């Protein structure tokens, strides 16, 4: 067996909804890049997921291009990994229907993301928002991954995907691989810079609450300077200091320093100095990504060539799994 065939498999997706944030980067995308050499990786822009909330068509289209370009700018390489757009592979939606018939209403009702989003968009609590985890399970199970690199907020969705796979396999035999979540030690839950009890999210109306991967250096530093802290005046990793805890987590994820080393580095120093150091470290890490993005996004024809090719490669794999599942259930192929 060749080395390539022995590699374990990885799958993950990201929604193209608005600017991607430092949370997306530290919680998931950084691992996507790190896993690229060791594993056989498949990564997608989850555009079908984005319409569970209302999207403006032209904006959605631009965001799909921009998210794909950003994946390339981060260093994901179509020679090593399969990079595609979810809606280009119809098996995602097709398998999702199948899996939704093996998913219980009660299970979906317990999803915290559904509860949060339906409270936030109370005028549009659509069925897609509710059945979203079945589509996410299809995204995953089609590619039989061993690992799914995600931030901590997606853990619950991953657990339901594992439950669905186990249930299906129990009835029909070995169809799906039951994947493991792959969650980073630092950066798994990057919090808002303005309210550190809330997750950093691109849908936050306060732009100072989140850092975009494509923010320029001055903007990044300004947002960190404005980050909410406390009046204890000590850089310590403590649950009583959620703002400082978040900044330590970010600094640690970017510099690979341990929280203990960071506490020592800033012992006796003021928050101003600490916030500036975090801002500069983040800005330095993001700068080359932004530069590379600006070049990549300007060549639309090349982007289209790459995502079409990625889509074909993905569909080749997805089709096999989908047909196997259909056959097992009893459909005439
Ligand atoms: P999405 O698009 O909201 O986020 C993409 C990835 O970024 C992580 N993330 C964070 N990590 C740390 N701190 C934060 N503040 C933060 N915000 C976001 C998310 O955990 C995620 O890993 N349903 C998924 C997309 C999806 C998917 C899949 C993921 C669709 N199909 C199949 C894995 C496998 C989502 O909405 O992620």
């Amino acid at each position: 067996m060749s080395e390539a065939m022995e590699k374990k498999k990885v799958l993950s997706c990201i929604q193209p909804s608005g600017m991607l944030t430092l949370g997306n980067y530290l919680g998931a995308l950084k691992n996507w890049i790190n896993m690229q050499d060791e594993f056989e990786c498949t990564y997608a822009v989850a555009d079908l997921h984005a319409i569970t909330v209302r999207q403006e068509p032209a904006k959605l289209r631009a965001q799909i291009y921009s998210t794909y370009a950003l994946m390339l700018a981060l260093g994901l390489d179509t020679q090593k990994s399969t990079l595609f757009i979810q809606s280009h592979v119809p098996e995602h939606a097709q398998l999702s229907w199948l899996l939704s018939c093996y998913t219980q209403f009660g299970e979906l009702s317990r999803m915290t993301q559904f509860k949060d989003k339906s409270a936030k968009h109370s005028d549009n609590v659509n069925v897609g928002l509710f059945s979203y985890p079945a589509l996410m399970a299809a995204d995953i199970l089609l590619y039989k991954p061993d690992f799914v690199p995600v931030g901590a907020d997606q853990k619950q969705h991953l657990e339901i995907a594992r439950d669905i796979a186990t249930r299906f396999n129990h009835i029909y035999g070995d169809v799906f691989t039951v994947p493991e979540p792959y969650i980073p030690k630092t950066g798994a839950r990057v919090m808002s810079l303005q309210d550190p009890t809330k997750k950093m999210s691109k849908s936050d109306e306060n732009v100072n609450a989140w850092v975009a991967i494509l923010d320029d250096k001055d903007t990044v530093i300004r947002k960190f300077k404005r980050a909410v802290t406390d009046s204890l005046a000590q850089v310590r990793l403590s649950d009583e200091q959620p703002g400082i805890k978040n900044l330590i987590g970010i600094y640690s994820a970017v510099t690979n320093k341990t929280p203990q080393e960071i506490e020592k580095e800033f012992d006796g120093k003021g928050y101003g100095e600490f916030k500036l150091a975090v801002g500069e470290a983040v800005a330095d890490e993001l700068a080359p990504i932004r530069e590379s993005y600006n070049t990549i996004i300007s060549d639309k024809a090349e982007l289209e060539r790459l995502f079409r090719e990625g889509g074909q490669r993905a569909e080749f794999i997805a089709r096999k799994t989908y047909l196997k599942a259909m056959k097992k259930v009893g459909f005439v192929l």
Side-chain angles (χ1 to χ4, degrees):
M1 200 184 270
S2 75
E3 199 191 320
M5 287 175 78
E6 286 166 25
K7 280 186 176 176
K8 292 219 180 234
K9 296 194 188 82
V10 164
L11 174 289
S12 200
C13 306
I14 187 158
Q15 288 199 54
S17 36
M19 287 280 209
L20 300 189
T21 69
L22 182 66
N24 296 129
Y25 178 67
L26 296 179
L29 297 169
K30 220 177 150 160
N31 268 338
W32 293 18
I33 308 157
N34 292 337
M35 296 175 101
Q36 212 180 193
D37 290 315
E38 194 181 335
F39 300 98
E40 187 186 317
C41 301
T42 305
Y43 300 124
V45 177
D47 54 348
L48 294 174
H49 280 91
I51 62 161
T52 52
V53 296
R54 200 64 71 231
Q55 301 282 346
E56 206 186 293
K59 226 168 139 186
L60 176 62
R61 203 168 293 125
Q63 281 167 194
I64 294 169
Y65 275 92
S66 127
T67 306
Y68 193 88
L70 190 62
M71 279 166 41
L72 297 172
L74 286 162
L76 295 174
D77 180 350
T78 56
Q79 300 291 320
K80 296 182 189 163
S81 308
T82 301
L83 309 179
F84 71 105
I85 295 171
Q86 181 192 29
S87 64
H88 291 181
V89 180
E91 285 77 5
H92 288 245
Q94 291 173 320
L95 184 66
S96 153
W97 168 252
L98 212 71
L99 297 183
S100 69
C101 299
Y102 297 81
T103 309
Q104 298 302 306
F105 186 90
E107 293 180 287
L108 293 179
S109 312
R110 287 193 291 276
M111 296 291 113
T112 40
Q113 187 171 303
F114 171 69
K115 289 188 215 161
D116 291 349
K117 283 207 176 170
S118 50
K120 208 166 151 199
H121 304 274
S122 54
D123 56 335
N124 182 21
V125 184
N126 60 72
V127 176
L129 192 63
F130 185 69
S131 62
Y132 176 117
L135 177 58
M136 182 159 157
D139 299 340
I140 298 170
L141 301 179
L142 280 171
Y143 301 91
K144 304 190 173 175
D146 300 283
F147 302 108
V148 181
V150 284
D153 64 319
Q154 293 299 321
K155 197 162 176 249
Q156 201 183 26
H157 289 157
L158 215 70
E159 269 155 20
I160 202 171
R162 286 167 53 88
D163 290 346
I164 297 169
T166 308
R167 191 173 300 150
F168 196 95
N169 285 350
H170 187 70
I171 307 171
Y172 301 107
D174 211 12
V175 178
F176 300 122
T177 301
V178 182
E180 295 291 334
Y182 192 98
I183 296 172
K185 282 197 188 72
T186 51
R189 194 184 289 280
V190 178
M191 308 307 277
S192 153
L193 298 183
Q194 291 298 311
D195 176 358
T197 60
K198 269 179 24 195
K199 185 182 85 166
M200 180 182 282
S201 161
K202 50 205 164 196
S203 55
D204 202 315
E205 276 151 29
N206 183 349
V207 290
N208 288 319
W210 50 281
V211 170
I213 299 178
L214 296 175
D215 274 345
D216 62 38
K217 186 164 186 173
D218 289 349
T219 308
V220 173
I221 293 177
R222 193 182 66 241
K223 287 180 180 175
F224 276 101
K225 277 190 183 161
R226 289 189 183 160
V228 168
T229 50
D230 52 58
S231 55
L232 296 173
Q234 51 176 11
V235 178
R236 281 280 136 78
L237 189 70
S238 148
D239 286 336
E240 281 150 35
Q241 296 179 258
I244 291 297
K245 186 178 174 186
N246 188 34
L247 294 176
I248 291 178
I250 293 171
Y251 193 59
S252 167
V254 172
T255 60
N256 288 325
K257 292 177 186 169
T258 65
Q260 292 70 32
E261 286 167 338
I262 296 168
E263 286 176 353
K264 226 166 131 195
E265 184 179 345
F266 294 96
D267 188 28
K269 294 186 180 155
Y271 284 170
E273 197 172 331
F274 177 50
K275 291 201 276 189
L276 183 63
V278 183
E280 281 180 340
V282 171
D284 286 347
E285 174 134 348
L286 298 181
I289 301 171
R290 194 177 63 251
E291 271 171 38
S292 164
Y293 171 85
N294 289 335
T295 314
I296 293 169
I297 194 71
S298 63
D299 191 349
K300 237 176 146 186
E302 176 64 0
L303 275 175
E304 284 168 0
R305 188 184 73 75
L306 293 174
F307 64 56
R308 299 257 170 255
E309 201 178 272
Q312 280 168 9
R313 256 156 67 187
E315 187 167 16
F316 182 77
I317 311 285
R319 187 100 201 122
K320 277 201 241 176
T321 316
Y322 173 64
L323 289 178
K324 184 169 180 188
M326 289 288 281
K327 194 172 171 192
K328 290 279 187 183
V329 173
F331 288 99
V332 177
L333 301 181

